[in-house]
Amino acid sequence: MIYLWFSLVVVVCYLIGNINFARILARCFKKEDITTKGSGNPGTMNMLRNYGIGYAALTLLLEALKSGIPSIVCGYIFASQGLFEVAFFTAGVSVVLGHNFPVFYKFKGGKAIACTAGMFLFSPLWYVGLIMFVLCCVFLYFVDFGFVASLIFVTSLSLAWVIRLAILQPTLWWVSVILIAFNLFFCYFMNRSNIIRLCKGTENHTNFKQKVDKLFGKKEKIVEMEQPPEKEIVVEDDGQTEASETEIIVEDKEDGKAE
């Protein structure tokens, strides 16, 4: 019976993973298809490149909730049977697979870094995930390669969880380790083109630093003092000649003729 319930978890979470918020947000707010913009990837980094930090942050949040909530819910459903970790990662990895290979989009999905981040941020090691998230944002600010920061985050949290499972050894802990390793493999596999471009020196930058500076930096506006326009003296010629104060007095050349 337990296998039937886990099968249901896999199917339901896979279908939840088919929901792609990058596509939805781009379509609703920009009237565009995100897969035709930038790298063509319907994910957080491509939203950052094309629409800025606001849309990227909203995409990241929604994708994290998409994987985090089903993971934690399934974990607690099976916790009474000592299968919290197994159920947690079964649900999370199923959402990731649904995001990577969505049946509703002809199996053309994203790279599921945001989904994986959500899975780890909703886990009992959420505080480690939060610290690594901040550190990776700082790393991205200075290095400006989005996929590198993403893979550092995913790898570090995967290793942290493997260590935790190896120490505590809960029920079927090795199944959780296999699921984590499987998920990590797919994160690298989906970013293989980025890795190749980085080795060739042709990887695109996210311009994260410029976007952050533009969003939070002080915008200095140079205000030029406008001088009032010089008044122009318009002389209307009415046909009458007026003598000025410095009028030259022309003496009568015939001054010898006195009247």
Side-chain angles (χ1 to χ4, degrees):
M1 190 66 179
I2 190 69
Y3 298 106
L4 179 61
W5 285 111
F6 267 86
S7 299
L8 181 63
V9 167
V10 170
V11 173
V12 171
C13 290
Y14 170 82
L15 293 176
I16 292 174
N18 278 237
I19 303 171
N20 189 291
F21 287 104
R23 292 176 184 266
I24 294 172
L25 293 175
R27 181 66 65 184
C28 292
F29 294 102
K30 295 295 184 178
K31 308 300 180 184
E32 295 178 342
D33 183 1
I34 188 61
T35 60
T36 63
K37 307 283 290 184
S39 64
N41 177 56
T44 303
M45 288 302 169
N46 203 26
M47 292 289 283
L48 175 64
R49 290 190 187 96
N50 291 282
Y51 302 132
I53 292 178
Y55 285 100
L58 182 58
T59 303
L60 176 62
L61 175 63
L62 293 174
E63 291 291 342
L65 292 173
K66 181 178 75 175
S67 62
I69 292 177
S71 298
I72 198 70
V73 169
C74 291
Y76 279 115
I77 288 176
F78 292 92
S80 59
Q81 302 176 30
L83 297 173
F84 174 87
E85 290 81 5
V86 175
F88 181 91
F89 288 109
T90 298
V93 174
S94 298
V95 173
V96 169
L97 288 177
H99 182 85
N100 287 341
F101 309 104
V103 65
F104 296 130
Y105 295 109
K106 300 179 180 179
F107 301 101
K108 296 179 180 179
K111 299 179 180 179
I113 296 296
C115 290
T116 301
M119 180 177 66
F120 285 129
L121 289 172
F122 275 78
S123 72
L125 288 180
W126 62 267
Y127 52 92
V128 179
L130 191 59
I131 293 172
M132 287 305 305
F133 179 79
V134 173
L135 292 177
C136 288
C137 286
V138 175
F139 176 85
L140 179 60
Y141 181 84
F142 290 104
V143 177
D144 205 30
F145 286 119
F147 89 96
V148 177
S150 301
L151 290 180
I152 290 175
F153 176 85
V154 173
T155 303
S156 60
L157 266 295
S158 297
L159 291 175
W161 256 104
V162 169
I163 294 172
R164 183 179 191 273
L165 291 169
I167 293 174
L168 299 179
Q169 293 190 355
T171 305
L172 298 176
W173 65 275
W174 54 272
V175 175
S176 299
V177 171
I178 292 175
L179 289 170
I180 293 171
F182 180 76
N183 181 79
L184 182 61
F185 165 77
F186 266 99
C187 287
Y188 277 85
F189 177 77
M190 299 302 292
N191 285 274
R192 63 192 184 281
S193 59
N194 301 84
I195 297 173
I196 294 172
R197 286 196 299 268
L198 181 65
C199 295
K200 292 181 178 180
T202 59
E203 173 62 10
N204 297 322
H205 291 274
T206 58
N207 296 321
F208 183 65
K209 183 178 186 299
Q210 290 81 354
K211 289 178 172 61
V212 171
D213 291 342
K214 183 179 179 181
L215 182 63
F216 297 104
K218 295 181 179 180
K219 300 179 180 179
E220 297 181 356
K221 296 182 179 180
I222 300 175
V223 181
E224 296 181 356
M225 298 298 294
E226 296 183 355
Q227 297 180 354
E230 296 181 357
K231 295 182 179 180
E232 297 181 356
I233 301 176
V234 180
V235 179
E236 297 182 356
D237 188 3
D238 56 358
Q240 298 179 356
T241 305
E242 296 179 0
S244 63
E245 294 180 359
T246 59
E247 180 182 345
I248 301 176
I249 300 175
V250 180
E251 295 180 356
D252 189 1
K253 293 182 180 180
E254 298 178 356
D255 54 354
K257 298 178 180 180
E259 294 183 358

